[in-house]
Every structure is written in structure tokens, then in C-alpha cells.
């Protein structure tokens, strides 16, 4: 005789299937816990359900809902779709956009439990981090990004109609090649306002149309090497604002041959690069915040009887897969999983704040025993990036739990040396070395424009300051230099110099091409 088990009245849903009424009930329950119990502060949410193919499409256009056309997006879509169809890779459960309203995409193939998880993870975890972290406040404009994307897509489409698809694609190819070197790394006095950027573009175009006079085309040009007064190198650099590390910005402002529309495309790509710059510096913290948020919310929902035992088991199966960290000698090891370390550090901060040990009090005197674990987490989420977060909060307890150690691998030494082990000196060394792995200043090449004589041969000179002994790949460097030369219109030289001695290590040069500009 089979028993009939009635569904408790307090359950928000039962089974894998979902509908929009259930999602609404679940969203309201998650919002209540996130805002009241956890004290999160979020942008208004917009939840959109999409198919697997739409998720692949979002992958290809770097997750943005309105994106201009470029061949590389189609290439990424074809690659990801092939891998997905053959079962070589899965898809993310969600994509979330740093905007106001904060847009979260959830897949229609997800079960109701997975929809619950990703709403908690994206619509409240990531959302809170986007709104409150100081890097995002300095560098992004959540209120204006969607309008700016619409403007960018429309503007580039108009350029394709007017100047031709190939001409626009050449500018985009060059700009995309320089995206990593197209950001301001230090905040300016004024915060970014993308709506104001649209207004300024319209004003620039109107001014050009009103002041255009074709007679200027007939004025004789001063020949290169003519009787112009020469300036000293220091004066020349000061006038041009050199050295300049934002290559896209310099080319947009100073490239002699670029047309107005080409400069505007560089400006669009530069703003996109700047928009993603904080995300590159906070992946560990952002994913740790979102994972901790969904874990806390789902556990609280289960404690209140809102989800069933089966739903909880399904959630825990997914959660433990996400935060799984293989051992260093495991074939699956590919570095430290940011979800695993981020989530573990969030839990550890709460533990230190609420139930510290004597070791915690020694290492974290300001945090240990403060009693408000959630408040400590909100402070950390607001005021740190990955590098400083690891330096500040990685504890000896967690280093032991992850079995961390450091190895010095010298190419000239036939033996490996274990330099840092589990003692006080070793803990500090491990923490410092791990933090450096999240430092973009160490991971990305330091390339700056250092000189150009606009009254002379106009050769653009760049320096790569080598800080870790690793030179640029020859083929990649030449390919990117060709893109720079296409934008600049004249010869480009890249010199790799030692950051310690200023000694020249290697030189790359690309002669003057036909150029993108007129």
C-alpha cells in the first residue's frame, strides 16, 4: 500500500517544473531575506528568461543585451555552440548585467530549484556587489550603460551604411586588439556619465557641420621637416601628455589621419573596455559574494520550510560542484577556483567576526570578535578588490584548509624549492604571492606611449616595461603593432625595457602602412 505525502502549505513550489507565478513567489521570498536579513542594497531587478541558444548568443557578445555587430562575435557563437552541442562544455546558469535596472538572464531549461538559485546568486548577490563596490562606483555608470549601448549599436550601424562595412570593421578590429590597453587605471576628477557622452557626440558632429569649409582643403600644407619651431623632447611630451598608458585614448585624440567617425568608434570601444575594467579586478570577490549570498538565502528558505528536502539536495549538488577545488596533483587542477576561494573567504570572515580563535585575534585584531559577520562582509565587498582583499583577509586557517604552499621554479635550477610552508613567515609569503596573482599591474603588460614628434617623422614610440622577466610574444606583438600603425598612419616602434635598469631587451617595429584614416 503506497503512502500519500501531502505538500506542506508553506512550500513555494514542488517539483522541477516552473511557471512565472512560482518565479514571482520565489523572487519575493528571496528579496525579503536578502534585504531584511542580510541587509543587501541592490539596483531594481529585471529577470528575463531565455533559451540555450540565446544564452550562447549572449556569450558571443560579451554578455551585453545591446551590442554592435562584429565578426568576432559570430566566431565565438559558432565555437561555443559546437562545443555545447557536442557535450564538451556546459552553459552558465545565468548572465547578469551591471546596469540599473540590473538585468539577470535565466535559462528556460533550468529547473525551478536552479531558477531559485540563480535569482539569489545574480539578482541579489552580483547586484549588491555591482551597486556597492567602490571600483564599480568609480568606473561604471549603471544608469546610463543601456542607453549608451543602444547609441553605440545605432552609431556603428550608421557608419557601416555610410562608409562601408569593411572600413568600419578595420577600425573595430584595431580597437578590439587594444582593449586591454585602452583603459584609464586611475580615477579622474569626474565620474563617467555615458548619457553625457551621447550628448557630446551630437554636439561635436553639429559643430563640425556648422564650421566645415572646403577652402581649407586648398591651403598648402607645411612639409615635414619645414621651418617649424622645434621643441625640446620634454616640452613635446608635456604638450602631448606623455607618457600615456591608455593607447586608445591617445590614438582617439592625437592620431593625425583619423576621421571624426573613426575617433568616435575608438571612443565607444574605449568606454566598453572601461566598463569591464572593474570586473577584471574583482572576479574572486564578485563570485564569492554571489555564491555566499545564494548559499545563505537557500539555507534560510529551507529552514523556513519554503523549499523541500529534494530541492535542497538538488541545490547542494549544484553548489558543491561550483565550489569544488581539485588538489594540486589532480588532473582536473587548473589553478585556484575563484568560486571556491571566494566563498570560503566569505565564510571565514563571518567566522572570524563571530567566533574567533586566538590565532584569528593575532592576525585580524580589528575584525576578530566584532560580532557582526554580515556587516564585516558588506564592508569588505564595498572597499576592496581581489588583490587587496586577499592581502587583507586570507587567514592561516584557510591556507591550511586549502593546503597552500609556494614553489620557486627557476629555469636555471634543476630542482624545485618549496619556499613557503605553514608557519608565520610562510603564511605571509603565501598571502603576498597569491595576492599578486590577482594584480592586473603584474598580470598585464605595462605598455605606454612615450614619444612622438608630430612636427617631424611622426614615428610613434612605445615602451613595454618588463617587470617579471617575460617578454611579449613576437607574433602577437607584431600583429597588435600593425593595428596601432593602421590607426596612427605612420611608423610605430615598441621597445621592451627592463623596469629595474631601463636596459633595452628587445625592439619591434612596423613601418608606415596605408593607414585606416584618410
Amino acid at each position: 500500500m503506497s503512502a500519500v505525502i501531502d505538500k506542506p502549505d508553506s512550500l513555494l513550489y514542488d517539483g522541477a517544473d516552473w511557471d512565472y507565478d512560482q518565479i514571482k513567489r520565489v523572487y519575493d521570498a528571496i528579496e525579503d531575506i536578502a534585504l531584511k536579513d542580510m541587509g543587501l542594497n541592490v539596483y531594481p531587478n529585471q529577470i528575463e528568461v531565455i533559451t540555450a541558444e540565446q544564452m550562447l548568443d549572449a556569450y558571443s557578445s560579451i554578455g551585453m543585451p545591446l551590442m554592435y555587430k562584429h565578426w568576432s562575435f559570430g566566431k565565438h557563437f559558432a565555437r561555443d555552440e559546437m562545443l555545447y552541442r557536442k557535450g564538451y562544455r556546459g552553459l552558465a546558469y545565468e548572465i547578469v548585467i551591471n546596469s540599473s535596472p540590473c538585468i539577470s538572464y535565466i535559462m528556460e531549461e533550468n529547473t525551478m530549484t536552479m531558477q531559485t538559485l540563480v535569482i539569489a546568486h545574480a539578482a541579489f548577490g552580483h547586484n549588491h556587489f555591482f551597486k556597492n563596490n567602490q571600483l564599480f562606483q568609480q568606473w561604471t555608470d549603471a544608469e546610463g550603460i543601456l542607453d549608451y549601448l543602444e547609441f553605440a549599436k545605432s552609431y556603428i550601424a550608421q557608419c557601416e551604411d555610410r562608409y562601408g562595412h569593411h572600413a568600419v570593421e578595420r577600425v573595430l578590429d584595431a580597437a578590439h586588439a587594444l582593449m586591454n590597453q585602452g583603459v584609464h587605471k586611475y580615477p579622474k576628477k569626474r565620474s563617467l556619465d555615458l548619457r553625457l557622452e551621447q550628448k557630446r557626440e551630437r554636439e561635436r558632429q553639429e559643430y563640425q557641420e556648422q564650421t566645415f569649409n572646403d577652402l581649407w582643403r586648398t591651403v598648402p600644407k607645411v612639409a615635414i621637416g619645414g621651418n617649424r619651431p622645434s621643441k625640446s623632447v620634454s616640452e613635446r611630451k608635456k604638450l602631448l601628455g606623455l607618457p600615456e598608458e591608455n593607447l586608445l585614448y591617445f590614438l582617439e585624440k592625437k592620431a593625425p589621419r583619423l576621421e571624426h567617425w573613426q575617433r568616435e568608434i575608438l571612443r565607444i570601444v574605449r568606454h566598453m573596455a572601461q566598463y569591464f575594467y572593474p570586473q577584471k579586478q574583482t572576479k574572486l570577490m564578485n563570485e564569492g559574494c554571489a555564491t555566499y549570498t545564494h548559499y545563505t538565502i537557500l539555507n534560510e528558505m529551507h529552514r523556513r520550510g519554503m523549499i523541500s528536502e529534494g530541492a535542497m539536495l538538488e541545490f547542494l549538488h549544484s553548489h558543491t560542484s561550483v565550489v569544488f577545488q581539485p588538489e594540486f596533483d589532480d588532473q582536473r587542477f587548473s589553478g585556484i577556483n575563484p568560486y571556491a576561494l571566494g566563498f570560503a573567504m566569505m565564510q571565514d570572515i563571518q567566522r572570524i567576526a563571530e567566533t574567533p580563535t586566538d590565532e584569528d585575534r593575532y592576525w585580524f585584531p580589528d575584525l576578530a570578535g566584532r560580532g557582526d559577520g554580515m556587516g564585516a562582509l558588506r564592508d569588505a565587498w564595498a572597499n576592496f578588490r581581489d588583490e587587496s582583499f586577499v592581502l587583507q583577509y586570507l587567514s592561516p586557517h584557510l591556507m591550511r584548509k586549502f593546503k597552500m604552499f609556494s614553489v620557486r621554479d627557476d629555469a636555471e635550477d634543476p630542482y624545485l624549492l618549496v619556499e613557503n610552508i605553514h608557519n608565520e613567515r610562510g603564511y605571509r609569503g603565501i598571502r603576498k604571492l597569491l595576492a599578486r596573482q590577482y594584480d592586473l599591474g603584474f598580470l598585464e603588460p605595462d605598455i605606454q606611449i612615450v614619444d612622438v614628434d608630430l612636427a617631424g617623422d611622426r614615428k610613434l614610440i612605445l615602451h613595454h616595461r618588463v617587470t617579471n622577466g617575460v617578454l611579449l610574444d613576437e607574433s602577437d606583438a607584431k600583429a597588435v603593432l600593425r593595428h596601432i600603425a593602421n590607426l596612427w598612419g605612420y611608423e610605430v616602434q615598441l621597445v621592451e625595457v627592463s623596469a629595474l635598469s631601463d636596459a633595452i631587451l628587445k625592439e619591434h617595429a612596423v613601418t608606415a602602412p596605408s593607414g585606416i584614416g584618410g
Side-chain angles (χ1 to χ4, degrees), residues 6 9 24 68 151 164 166 193 196 201 225 234 266 269 271 274 326 364 366 379 402 413-414 428 445 455:
D6 294 330
D9 293 335
K24 179 64 170 65
Y68 54 80
F151 155 75
H166 179 67
D193 186 337
L196 186 60
E201 160 52 21
S234 60
L266 294 189
V269 175
H271 284 319
Q274 199 71 63
F364 307 100
D366 296 330
D379 288 344
F402 275 73
D413 191 334
R428 296 188 188 279

Side-chain angles (χ1 to χ4, degrees), residues 201-217:
E201 160 52 21
R202 288 194 296 269
E203 291 173 350
R204 283 190 292 263
Q205 193 165 354
E206 290 170 0
Y207 176 78
Q208 280 200 335
E209 292 171 355
Q210 292 169 5
T211 59
F212 175 75
N213 189 333
D214 195 48
L215 286 175
W216 288 108
R217 182 175 53 84

Side-chain angles (χ1 to χ4, degrees), residues 151-275:
F151 155 75
K153 182 177 181 180
S154 173
Y155 185 86
I156 290 178
Q158 291 172 14
C159 290
E160 288 178 339
D161 291 340
R162 187 169 182 178
Y163 305 106
H165 177 79
H166 179 67
V168 173
E169 192 172 83
R170 287 190 71 194
V171 180
L172 283 174
D173 286 348
H176 285 183
L178 297 172
M179 281 187 82
N180 286 342
Q181 306 298 326
V183 296
H184 291 301
K185 298 178 181 177
Y186 302 96
K188 305 295 182 180
K189 292 181 180 179
R190 182 183 58 82
S191 60
L192 184 66
D193 186 337
L194 293 176
R195 288 196 178 100
L196 186 60
E197 282 293 319
Q198 298 176 57
K199 180 182 177 183
R200 285 184 171 181
E201 160 52 21
R202 288 194 296 269
E203 291 173 350
R204 283 190 292 263
Q205 193 165 354
E206 290 170 0
Y207 176 78
Q208 280 200 335
E209 292 171 355
Q210 292 169 5
T211 59
F212 175 75
N213 189 333
D214 195 48
L215 286 175
W216 288 108
R217 182 175 53 84
T218 65
V219 175
K221 297 179 180 179
V222 178
I224 293 176
N227 297 322
R228 291 180 176 177
S230 61
K231 294 183 175 67
S232 68
V233 174
S234 60
E235 288 178 323
R236 187 169 69 224
K237 289 184 176 183
K238 184 177 180 180
L239 286 172
L240 292 173
L242 298 178
E244 175 58 67
E245 63 184 356
N246 189 331
L247 306 191
L248 281 179
Y249 177 80
F250 184 86
L251 292 167
E252 171 203 327
K253 302 298 183 185
K254 306 295 184 182
R257 294 184 172 182
L258 290 184
E259 301 289 343
H260 165 75
W261 65 271
Q262 295 167 328
R263 298 181 196 277
E264 190 61 36
I265 289 178
L266 294 189
R267 186 179 291 112
I268 288 170
V269 175
R270 179 166 64 82
H271 284 319
M272 290 297 98
Q274 199 71 63
Y275 172 87

